[in-house]
Amino acid sequence: MRSRYSAFALGNDRYLLQSWHPETRPETLTLDADVRWRRLEILEAPATDAAATDGTVRFVATQQQGHQWHQLTELSRFTRLAQHWLYRDGVAEMCRLDPGRNTPCPCGSGRKFKHCCG
């Protein structure tokens, strides 16, 4: 999951397609160059044994596009093929954030929004 988040943050669509399960992988993937991924928080990643072929990860990812902030919450399903975990699909929900000047910055720095990304 972290490697896919990093690929989104770096705009590496090639890696995203390679790490997508062939049964659900799209033909092409177009990433929005204006979206800046700011933070990833893994909420739940149940341990799987070495023989497991399926797993899930629940996470929250924070993004910024211009002056707008959003949080993506997703429960992702992964399948192991040839010793590699591949993204199968997920149930996602996107919500808009409206950080105030004196609230903690959504990027996770711990600083006030006005002194960080605001």
Side-chain angles (χ1 to χ4, degrees), residues 26-99:
E27 290 283 325
T28 61
L29 182 64
T30 304
L31 301 177
D32 189 339
D34 294 333
V35 172
R36 295 192 61 192
W37 292 94
R38 298 296 197 160
R39 181 180 187 190
L40 173 67
E41 181 181 358
I42 304 295
L43 302 175
E44 184 180 358
T48 58
D49 62 41
T53 58
D54 294 303
T56 60
V57 176
R58 192 165 62 92
F59 69 90
V60 175
T62 304
Q63 64 168 262
Q64 179 186 14
Q65 185 172 13
H67 295 291
Q68 292 186 359
W69 289 79
H70 297 91
Q71 269 190 341
L72 169 70
T73 302
E74 182 172 322
L75 176 62
S76 298
R77 291 189 320 146
F78 291 85
T79 299
R80 188 187 331 224
L81 285 179
Q83 302 303 316
H84 297 280
W85 285 102
L86 301 176
Y87 175 77
R88 181 170 281 284
D89 57 22
V91 178
E93 181 180 314
M94 182 79 80
C95 69
R96 184 170 177 191
L97 299 176
D98 191 19

Side-chain angles (χ1 to χ4, degrees), residues 4-15:
R4 285 183 55 83
Y5 170 81
S6 296
F8 272 106
L10 297 171
N12 188 345
D13 57 343
R14 184 174 173 202
Y15 178 81

